[in-house]
Amino acid sequence: MDKFLVAPPLHSGDDPAPPPPPPPPPRRHRWRRIAVELDGRIDARFRHRESRLLLDSFAEVGAFDHKYYMHGEERCRTYVDRMISASTMNLPPREGVSAIEFDKKGIYFASVTFSGCLTVHDFETLYCSIYGRSCSMPDDSSNYVLHISNKISLNAIRWNPGNQDEIACTSTQSDKVFLFDIGYVSSAPTEILQKGKSKFPALYSESRKSLTDIAFTSDDNSRIFASGLDGAVYMWDRRSSKTHCLELMAPQESQFNTVKLSVDNRVQQLSSVKVSTLLGKIASLKEQSNIISSPILSIDFNPSCSYQLAFHLDDGWSGVLNVNNLSVTHLHCPPPAWLESMDLVSQKQLRKPTWLPTSSIYAVGSSSYDGIYLLDFHPDTSSACHVDYKEEKRGLEENQPAENKLVPLSQRVLSCAAHPLSHTIIAGTQFSSLLMLSQKHEAIRNLES
């Protein structure tokens, strides 16, 4: 033992210097994929970390104009309104894609326009056409499954979850629900549901009779709900009558722009909340923003987190309401519109966002830019949109959240829908075009490498 305790001899100038100590081994990052690859389970936190790669890969891969004929050389109303709007810049636009919806299996998607056109496309056909000779949709009837040009504006569309061929639409100019069967080559609806005698005739007026949104129950496709500008929600049971059988009125006279059913299809009114009041309770937001009341244009439940209800306001703000404790947990305030030149008329058009499947990414068209926001609404304080998120916590790569991303596009987006089995997004624009957002091949190769 003594020989190990003897001090080393002093170094003389004639002797060679001892070699420097070897550098420490490089620090290896913990292999985050090991648990996923062993047990096959993908937890929410892992998916949230990897969603940063997904957001960075999104880009516009295809644009399809609405240039359809009706009979012979006759153009449809949407195309005609596009030409009128282009030639008269001082008049409010009469066009735009007001809503888009995929069917449950992701085989078809349907869109409606403010001009009154209902169009159904085969998703695979449209996707494969991107890699053809042209990214523009030719004027040929084989490129769509169904195209109907109505005389009234259409503002909402829903697929029947129990019937792959049935679509329901509403109009801001009517108090009826129109149902179409894509198996029939006919411009006439196969069924029309209408409002019957109201329980609240004093609140009924001709200017507020229209329906703004519709929803099917997931457990029974015979029941349909619709929201109205008169401040009521109506329910139809198609097995018994074509007039509504249930009417729910708001406690105060108001207008409903949208309606969504929870997972358990509850219809009773449990509570009433005001988003501006909830925003005022967020101290950090109240210190730097003047919170004013703004109409709610759209709401939607997170398919991967049942208690998260996303909302989009008329002023461009988007956020999440926790329906369990009725608190706002996430919020995204886009840049003020005056920072960029923009069309003030298009800002007020109804915008309908969407959730990406199997993730907590919320997609919404920008009211100030030609693009779409992909927002991080992960149900945790590590989300970039969470009201309790601390900027100083960023640093370690493992804990770095997905950041909100603006994907630049060629046109202003009014509505969008995500494919139920993939992350491809179809966006409808103010010029009635359809834009496809997906991962570019270059981005996918980078992810794989």
Side-chain angles (χ1 to χ4, degrees), residues 21-46:
R27 181 182 178 184
R28 297 181 179 274
H29 295 285
R30 187 167 62 90
W31 193 11
R32 297 195 305 261
R33 300 176 183 270
I34 184 66
V36 176
E37 296 184 357
L38 286 178
D39 58 24
R41 296 180 180 179
I42 304 179
D43 59 46
R45 288 184 176 273
F46 177 83

mmCIF file of all heavy atoms in Angstrom, residues 21-46:
data_model
loop_
_atom_site.group_PDB
_atom_site.id
_atom_site.type_symbol
_atom_site.label_atom_id
_atom_site.label_comp_id
_atom_site.label_asym_id
_atom_site.label_seq_id
_atom_site.Cartn_x
_atom_site.Cartn_y
_atom_site.Cartn_z
ATOM 1 N N PRO A 21 -4.267 14.902 -19.770
ATOM 2 C CA PRO A 21 -5.315 13.901 -19.481
ATOM 3 C C PRO A 21 -6.295 13.796 -20.644
ATOM 4 O O PRO A 21 -6.551 14.775 -21.345
ATOM 5 C CB PRO A 21 -5.991 14.455 -18.215
ATOM 6 C CG PRO A 21 -5.705 15.921 -18.246
ATOM 7 C CD PRO A 21 -4.355 16.074 -18.866
ATOM 8 N N PRO A 22 -6.837 12.654 -20.896
ATOM 9 C CA PRO A 22 -7.786 12.492 -22.019
ATOM 10 C C PRO A 22 -9.053 13.307 -21.785
ATOM 11 O O PRO A 22 -9.474 13.494 -20.632
ATOM 12 C CB PRO A 22 -8.076 10.979 -22.013
ATOM 13 C CG PRO A 22 -7.798 10.545 -20.609
ATOM 14 C CD PRO A 22 -6.666 11.408 -20.128
ATOM 15 N N PRO A 23 -9.668 13.826 -22.858
ATOM 16 C CA PRO A 23 -10.912 14.613 -22.685
ATOM 17 C C PRO A 23 -12.041 13.743 -22.181
ATOM 18 O O PRO A 23 -12.063 12.527 -22.414
ATOM 19 C CB PRO A 23 -11.193 15.122 -24.104
ATOM 20 C CG PRO A 23 -10.544 14.119 -25.003
ATOM 21 C CD PRO A 23 -9.301 13.668 -24.273
ATOM 22 N N PRO A 24 -12.948 14.349 -21.453
ATOM 23 C CA PRO A 24 -14.091 13.548 -20.951
ATOM 24 C C PRO A 24 -14.928 13.025 -22.106
ATOM 25 O O PRO A 24 -15.007 13.647 -23.171
ATOM 26 C CB PRO A 24 -14.874 14.563 -20.097
ATOM 27 C CG PRO A 24 -14.500 15.901 -20.651
ATOM 28 C CD PRO A 24 -13.073 15.767 -21.092
ATOM 29 N N PRO A 25 -15.503 11.884 -21.948
ATOM 30 C CA PRO A 25 -16.337 11.336 -23.041
ATOM 31 C C PRO A 25 -17.515 12.256 -23.334
ATOM 32 O O PRO A 25 -18.028 12.927 -22.439
ATOM 33 C CB PRO A 25 -16.805 9.983 -22.473
ATOM 34 C CG PRO A 25 -16.708 10.137 -20.989
ATOM 35 C CD PRO A 25 -15.528 11.040 -20.750
ATOM 36 N N PRO A 26 -17.898 12.341 -24.590
ATOM 37 C CA PRO A 26 -19.034 13.232 -24.930
ATOM 38 C C PRO A 26 -20.305 12.794 -24.222
ATOM 39 O O PRO A 26 -20.568 11.606 -24.048
ATOM 40 C CB PRO A 26 -19.153 13.076 -26.447
ATOM 41 C CG PRO A 26 -18.530 11.749 -26.754
ATOM 42 C CD PRO A 26 -17.416 11.583 -25.749
ATOM 43 N N ARG A 27 -21.042 13.798 -23.838
ATOM 44 C CA ARG A 27 -22.301 13.531 -23.129
ATOM 45 C C ARG A 27 -23.334 13.023 -24.118
ATOM 46 O O ARG A 27 -23.615 13.658 -25.133
ATOM 47 C CB ARG A 27 -22.813 14.803 -22.449
ATOM 48 C CG ARG A 27 -24.110 14.580 -21.682
ATOM 49 C CD ARG A 27 -24.602 15.891 -21.065
ATOM 50 N NE ARG A 27 -25.863 15.700 -20.373
ATOM 51 C CZ ARG A 27 -26.544 16.684 -19.817
ATOM 52 N NH1 ARG A 27 -26.081 17.925 -19.867
ATOM 53 N NH2 ARG A 27 -27.689 16.428 -19.206
ATOM 54 N N ARG A 28 -23.895 11.894 -23.843
ATOM 55 C CA ARG A 28 -24.900 11.310 -24.722
ATOM 56 C C ARG A 28 -26.293 11.659 -24.212
ATOM 57 O O ARG A 28 -26.571 11.540 -23.031
ATOM 58 C CB ARG A 28 -24.748 9.788 -24.797
ATOM 59 C CG ARG A 28 -23.418 9.353 -25.399
ATOM 60 C CD ARG A 28 -23.332 7.843 -25.461
ATOM 61 N NE ARG A 28 -22.088 7.401 -26.039
ATOM 62 C CZ ARG A 28 -21.880 7.258 -27.355
ATOM 63 N NH1 ARG A 28 -22.878 7.523 -28.195
ATOM 64 N NH2 ARG A 28 -20.709 6.845 -27.803
ATOM 65 N N HIS A 29 -27.100 12.109 -25.133
ATOM 66 C CA HIS A 29 -28.482 12.406 -24.768
ATOM 67 C C HIS A 29 -29.242 11.097 -24.527
ATOM 68 O O HIS A 29 -29.023 10.092 -25.207
ATOM 69 C CB HIS A 29 -29.170 13.212 -25.864
ATOM 70 C CG HIS A 29 -28.577 14.573 -26.051
ATOM 71 N ND1 HIS A 29 -28.800 15.601 -25.168
ATOM 72 C CD2 HIS A 29 -27.756 15.068 -27.013
ATOM 73 C CE1 HIS A 29 -28.148 16.685 -25.573
ATOM 74 N NE2 HIS A 29 -27.512 16.379 -26.700
ATOM 75 N N ARG A 30 -30.068 11.165 -23.577
ATOM 76 C CA ARG A 30 -30.872 9.974 -23.262
ATOM 77 C C ARG A 30 -31.740 9.606 -24.463
ATOM 78 O O ARG A 30 -32.361 10.459 -25.091
ATOM 79 C CB ARG A 30 -31.758 10.253 -22.047
ATOM 80 C CG ARG A 30 -32.490 9.017 -21.546
ATOM 81 C CD ARG A 30 -33.073 9.293 -20.174
ATOM 82 N NE ARG A 30 -34.045 10.355 -20.202
ATOM 83 C CZ ARG A 30 -35.349 10.155 -20.416
ATOM 84 N NH1 ARG A 30 -35.792 8.916 -20.621
ATOM 85 N NH2 ARG A 30 -36.193 11.143 -20.412
ATOM 86 N N TRP A 31 -31.778 8.346 -24.788
ATOM 87 C CA TRP A 31 -32.539 7.881 -25.948
ATOM 88 C C TRP A 31 -34.025 7.886 -25.604
ATOM 89 O O TRP A 31 -34.525 7.002 -24.929
ATOM 90 C CB TRP A 31 -32.073 6.482 -26.341
ATOM 91 C CG TRP A 31 -32.574 6.046 -27.681
ATOM 92 C CD1 TRP A 31 -33.179 6.800 -28.626
ATOM 93 C CD2 TRP A 31 -32.521 4.721 -28.210
ATOM 94 N NE1 TRP A 31 -33.493 6.062 -29.718
ATOM 95 C CE2 TRP A 31 -33.111 4.772 -29.500
ATOM 96 C CE3 TRP A 31 -32.032 3.519 -27.738
ATOM 97 C CZ2 TRP A 31 -33.217 3.650 -30.309
ATOM 98 C CZ3 TRP A 31 -32.142 2.403 -28.544
ATOM 99 C CH2 TRP A 31 -32.720 2.469 -29.814
ATOM 100 N N ARG A 32 -34.712 8.923 -26.067
ATOM 101 C CA ARG A 32 -36.112 9.075 -25.679
ATOM 102 C C ARG A 32 -37.007 8.036 -26.345
ATOM 103 O O ARG A 32 -38.118 7.799 -25.905
ATOM 104 C CB ARG A 32 -36.581 10.493 -26.046
ATOM 105 C CG ARG A 32 -35.853 11.597 -25.320
ATOM 106 C CD ARG A 32 -36.607 12.901 -25.463
ATOM 107 N NE ARG A 32 -36.843 13.239 -26.861
ATOM 108 C CZ ARG A 32 -36.095 14.095 -27.556
ATOM 109 N NH1 ARG A 32 -35.053 14.662 -26.987
ATOM 110 N NH2 ARG A 32 -36.374 14.372 -28.806
ATOM 111 N N ARG A 33 -36.544 7.438 -27.431
ATOM 112 C CA ARG A 33 -37.404 6.527 -28.174
ATOM 113 C C ARG A 33 -37.399 5.107 -27.601
ATOM 114 O O ARG A 33 -38.182 4.272 -28.037
ATOM 115 C CB ARG A 33 -36.953 6.455 -29.642
ATOM 116 C CG ARG A 33 -37.000 7.773 -30.373
ATOM 117 C CD ARG A 33 -36.452 7.618 -31.789
ATOM 118 N NE ARG A 33 -36.408 8.870 -32.495
ATOM 119 C CZ ARG A 33 -37.394 9.361 -33.243
ATOM 120 N NH1 ARG A 33 -38.511 8.678 -33.346
ATOM 121 N NH2 ARG A 33 -37.276 10.502 -33.869
ATOM 122 N N ILE A 34 -36.515 4.838 -26.641
ATOM 123 C CA ILE A 34 -36.340 3.462 -26.205
ATOM 124 C C ILE A 34 -37.622 2.875 -25.643
ATOM 125 O O ILE A 34 -38.014 1.753 -25.987
ATOM 126 C CB ILE A 34 -35.193 3.361 -25.175
ATOM 127 C CG1 ILE A 34 -34.942 1.905 -24.790
ATOM 128 C CG2 ILE A 34 -35.487 4.206 -23.949
ATOM 129 C CD1 ILE A 34 -34.410 1.082 -25.930
ATOM 130 N N ALA A 35 -38.347 3.637 -24.796
ATOM 131 C CA ALA A 35 -39.573 3.108 -24.196
ATOM 132 C C ALA A 35 -40.638 2.883 -25.263
ATOM 133 O O ALA A 35 -41.382 1.897 -25.219
ATOM 134 C CB ALA A 35 -40.088 4.065 -23.120
ATOM 135 N N VAL A 36 -40.709 3.800 -26.230
ATOM 136 C CA VAL A 36 -41.710 3.670 -27.288
ATOM 137 C C VAL A 36 -41.445 2.445 -28.142
ATOM 138 O O VAL A 36 -42.351 1.697 -28.508
ATOM 139 C CB VAL A 36 -41.713 4.948 -28.161
ATOM 140 C CG1 VAL A 36 -42.681 4.793 -29.318
ATOM 141 C CG2 VAL A 36 -42.076 6.150 -27.312
ATOM 142 N N GLU A 37 -40.179 2.211 -28.451
ATOM 143 C CA GLU A 37 -39.855 1.090 -29.326
ATOM 144 C C GLU A 37 -39.931 -0.257 -28.612
ATOM 145 O O GLU A 37 -40.061 -1.296 -29.247
ATOM 146 C CB GLU A 37 -38.469 1.297 -29.921
ATOM 147 C CG GLU A 37 -38.410 2.531 -30.823
ATOM 148 C CD GLU A 37 -37.065 2.699 -31.487
ATOM 149 O OE1 GLU A 37 -36.172 1.884 -31.192
ATOM 150 O OE2 GLU A 37 -36.909 3.627 -32.288
ATOM 151 N N LEU A 38 -39.851 -0.248 -27.291
ATOM 152 C CA LEU A 38 -39.929 -1.499 -26.550
ATOM 153 C C LEU A 38 -41.365 -1.939 -26.302
ATOM 154 O O LEU A 38 -41.713 -3.092 -26.522
ATOM 155 C CB LEU A 38 -39.179 -1.376 -25.219
ATOM 156 C CG LEU A 38 -37.644 -1.372 -25.309
ATOM 157 C CD1 LEU A 38 -37.039 -1.185 -23.934
ATOM 158 C CD2 LEU A 38 -37.138 -2.668 -25.940
ATOM 159 N N ASP A 39 -42.202 -1.017 -25.817
ATOM 160 C CA ASP A 39 -43.567 -1.410 -25.470
ATOM 161 C C ASP A 39 -44.610 -0.945 -26.477
ATOM 162 O O ASP A 39 -45.784 -1.302 -26.355
ATOM 163 C CB ASP A 39 -43.941 -0.909 -24.071
ATOM 164 C CG ASP A 39 -43.823 0.603 -23.939
ATOM 165 O OD1 ASP A 39 -43.909 1.303 -24.960
ATOM 166 O OD2 ASP A 39 -43.648 1.074 -22.805
ATOM 167 N N GLY A 40 -44.218 -0.137 -27.456
ATOM 168 C CA GLY A 40 -45.165 0.294 -28.485
ATOM 169 C C GLY A 40 -46.141 1.358 -28.050
ATOM 170 O O GLY A 40 -47.053 1.709 -28.797
ATOM 171 N N ARG A 41 -45.978 1.889 -26.864
ATOM 172 C CA ARG A 41 -46.890 2.922 -26.370
ATOM 173 C C ARG A 41 -46.286 4.300 -26.598
ATOM 174 O O ARG A 41 -45.108 4.527 -26.340
ATOM 175 C CB ARG A 41 -47.172 2.728 -24.885
ATOM 176 C CG ARG A 41 -47.892 1.426 -24.551
ATOM 177 C CD ARG A 41 -48.125 1.320 -23.049
ATOM 178 N NE ARG A 41 -48.804 0.079 -22.713
ATOM 179 C CZ ARG A 41 -49.118 -0.270 -21.465
ATOM 180 N NH1 ARG A 41 -48.809 0.540 -20.449
ATOM 181 N NH2 ARG A 41 -49.737 -1.412 -21.243
ATOM 182 N N ILE A 42 -47.106 5.213 -27.092
ATOM 183 C CA ILE A 42 -46.664 6.588 -27.332
ATOM 184 C C ILE A 42 -47.422 7.492 -26.360
ATOM 185 O O ILE A 42 -48.611 7.745 -26.541
ATOM 186 C CB ILE A 42 -46.938 7.019 -28.782
ATOM 187 C CG1 ILE A 42 -46.264 6.044 -29.759
ATOM 188 C CG2 ILE A 42 -46.443 8.438 -29.021
ATOM 189 C CD1 ILE A 42 -46.500 6.381 -31.207
ATOM 190 N N ASP A 43 -46.747 7.933 -25.307
ATOM 191 C CA ASP A 43 -47.428 8.774 -24.333
ATOM 192 C C ASP A 43 -47.546 10.195 -24.856
ATOM 193 O O ASP A 43 -46.901 10.591 -25.835
ATOM 194 C CB ASP A 43 -46.714 8.754 -22.989
ATOM 195 C CG ASP A 43 -45.264 9.231 -23.089
ATOM 196 O OD1 ASP A 43 -45.016 10.259 -23.727
ATOM 197 O OD2 ASP A 43 -44.386 8.561 -22.519
ATOM 198 N N ALA A 44 -48.362 10.984 -24.179
ATOM 199 C CA ALA A 44 -48.660 12.335 -24.653
ATOM 200 C C ALA A 44 -47.428 13.228 -24.618
ATOM 201 O O ALA A 44 -47.237 14.071 -25.500
ATOM 202 C CB ALA A 44 -49.788 12.940 -23.815
ATOM 203 N N ARG A 45 -46.581 13.071 -23.618
ATOM 204 C CA ARG A 45 -45.392 13.921 -23.519
ATOM 205 C C ARG A 45 -44.409 13.639 -24.653
ATOM 206 O O ARG A 45 -43.816 14.553 -25.215
ATOM 207 C CB ARG A 45 -44.713 13.713 -22.157
ATOM 208 C CG ARG A 45 -45.489 14.310 -20.997
ATOM 209 C CD ARG A 45 -44.723 14.159 -19.698
ATOM 210 N NE ARG A 45 -45.416 14.807 -18.607
ATOM 211 C CZ ARG A 45 -45.288 16.082 -18.284
ATOM 212 N NH1 ARG A 45 -44.477 16.838 -18.982
ATOM 213 N NH2 ARG A 45 -45.954 16.607 -17.270
ATOM 214 N N PHE A 46 -44.219 12.362 -24.985
ATOM 215 C CA PHE A 46 -43.333 12.026 -26.093
ATOM 216 C C PHE A 46 -43.884 12.594 -27.399
ATOM 217 O O PHE A 46 -43.156 13.160 -28.213
ATOM 218 C CB PHE A 46 -43.173 10.517 -26.191
ATOM 219 C CG PHE A 46 -42.333 10.075 -27.364
ATOM 220 C CD1 PHE A 46 -40.956 10.075 -27.273
ATOM 221 C CD2 PHE A 46 -42.928 9.685 -28.551
ATOM 222 C CE1 PHE A 46 -40.175 9.678 -28.346
ATOM 223 C CE2 PHE A 46 -42.167 9.289 -29.629
ATOM 224 C CZ PHE A 46 -40.784 9.284 -29.532
#
